[in-house]
Amino acid sequence: MQRQFERVRLAARGHVAVVSLDHPEVMNALSPLMADGLVAALDFASDPANRFRAVLLTGEGRAFCAGANLAEISWDRDSERDAGAYLESHYHPLMLRIRDLNLPVVTAVNGAAAGIGMSLALAGDLILAARSAYFLQAFVRIGLVPDGGSTWLLPRLIGLARARELSLLAERLPAETALAWGLINRVCEDENLPEEAMALAGRLAEGPTVALAATRRLYWSSPQNSFDQQLDLERQEQRRAGLSEDVVEGIAAFLQKRPARFHGK
């Protein structure tokens, strides 16, 4: 099954929704139109009727996402302009949709991940990068500030000093360095990225979906919670996971010393 959204393509690979940014002519630069198409694709993937249990997000062609598509945003020198308005109307809803998704997300960074494209890549639960890929906080190169949640994500992933350095100097961060810094999970050879990312997404799709979704919520909530608040949230999510069908199967499999056969319910 394949579905086409605005500059975004979704292909079914078993229970994995492979969502591809599909505007390679501009290195998948993220326009408001594409952002809305990506939200629509994620809505489709998360609909229980479509039976997906994981999302793999990647880019078509030689880039993951080269940042915002500036050619499709008005920058008339003589007009009153509000660059933040595009964030509020298109890009913020996209980032929040990824955060609130009820499925685990693997991002396969097949090339440049620049500007908001870097934020998009880092929003995945597991992040794989091709060896030739790189990350770039490109904003100051054009007189803008970091967005897409990068000023929230980066300090928590790699610390404040490195986050400032990336954002203020706007230098490329090679995939190998990103791995060494703990920014991403794995680096693989370029030709192996699709297969390795699909294997990882497939592994998640075979897992206990209710528990995986709850785990996502816990980690997204953790940075702003106190220890007491996080303990309480763990209690709430454990109750929800404990009512799932998969926990019955998981415990039975554990006691019977066999692999669990989860159904995502």
Side-chain angles (χ1 to χ4, degrees):
M1 178 187 71
Q2 288 201 24
R3 291 287 299 267
Q4 191 71 37
F5 301 87
E6 292 289 353
R7 298 177 181 170
V8 174
R9 181 165 49 84
L10 184 150
R13 295 279 301 275
H15 290 295
V16 177
V18 181
V19 178
S20 302
L21 306 180
D22 193 16
H23 199 187
E25 304 93 314
V26 294
M27 297 176 65
N28 300 317
L30 189 66
S31 63
L33 192 65
M34 180 190 280
D36 294 347
L38 188 47
V39 169
L42 294 174
D43 285 345
F44 183 85
S46 65
D47 185 340
N50 295 319
R51 303 180 65 187
F52 291 115
R53 294 169 59 189
V55 171
L56 171 57
L57 178 61
T58 192
E60 287 293 315
R62 62 191 180 94
F64 178 76
C65 176
N69 191 334
L70 300 176
E72 297 192 11
I73 299 175
S74 174
W75 298 104
D76 185 351
R77 180 183 296 272
D78 298 324
S79 67
E80 182 177 346
R81 58 189 182 272
D82 179 2
Y86 291 100
L87 297 179
E88 186 176 10
S89 59
H90 299 282
Y91 300 136
H92 289 177
L94 168 58
M95 301 307 296
L96 293 172
R97 187 69 189 92
I98 296 172
R99 183 199 66 182
D100 296 337
L101 203 65
N102 58 357
L103 304 173
V105 179
V106 174
T107 48
V109 184
N110 54 305
I116 197 167
M118 182 173 176
S119 301
L120 196 59
L122 298 181
D125 301 304
L126 297 174
I127 307 160
L128 285 72
R131 197 168 300 279
S132 66
Y134 65 88
F135 301 85
L136 176 64
Q137 286 284 289
F139 302 95
V140 297
R141 292 188 177 189
I142 57 171
L144 292 174
V145 304
D147 62 28
S150 57
T151 59
W152 189 92
L153 288 164
L154 285 173
R156 288 163 172 80
L157 291 170
I158 57 174
L160 188 57
R162 283 172 169 165
R164 283 174 172 161
E165 179 181 351
L166 288 177
S167 299
L168 294 173
L169 298 181
E171 295 175 342
R172 289 188 181 190
L173 181 69
E176 291 281 5
T177 307
L179 179 65
W181 284 8
L183 189 67
I184 63 176
N185 297 96
R186 301 181 186 181
V187 172
C188 56
E189 299 305 323
D190 289 25
E191 63 272 19
N192 296 336
L193 179 66
E195 180 182 353
E196 292 196 22
M198 187 62 216
L200 198 57
R203 180 176 170 183
L204 291 173
E206 293 176 355
T209 308
V210 175
L212 293 176
T215 302
R216 295 189 84 240
R217 289 191 292 271
L218 285 167
Y219 279 109
W220 273 107
S221 301
S222 176
Q224 62 264 28
N225 277 352
S226 69
F227 186 58
D228 289 351
Q229 289 171 324
Q230 195 67 11
L231 285 175
D232 185 59
L233 187 59
E234 287 177 353
R235 179 192 63 78
Q236 295 174 43
E237 294 294 2
Q238 197 70 291
R239 180 182 184 278
R240 184 179 308 188
L243 293 172
S244 69
E245 295 178 18
D246 278 341
V247 78
V248 176
E249 163 61 14
I251 292 173
F254 175 80
L255 294 174
Q256 296 166 19
K257 295 181 172 57
R258 61 171 175 80
R261 295 181 292 273
F262 295 117
H263 297 286
K265 300 178 180 179

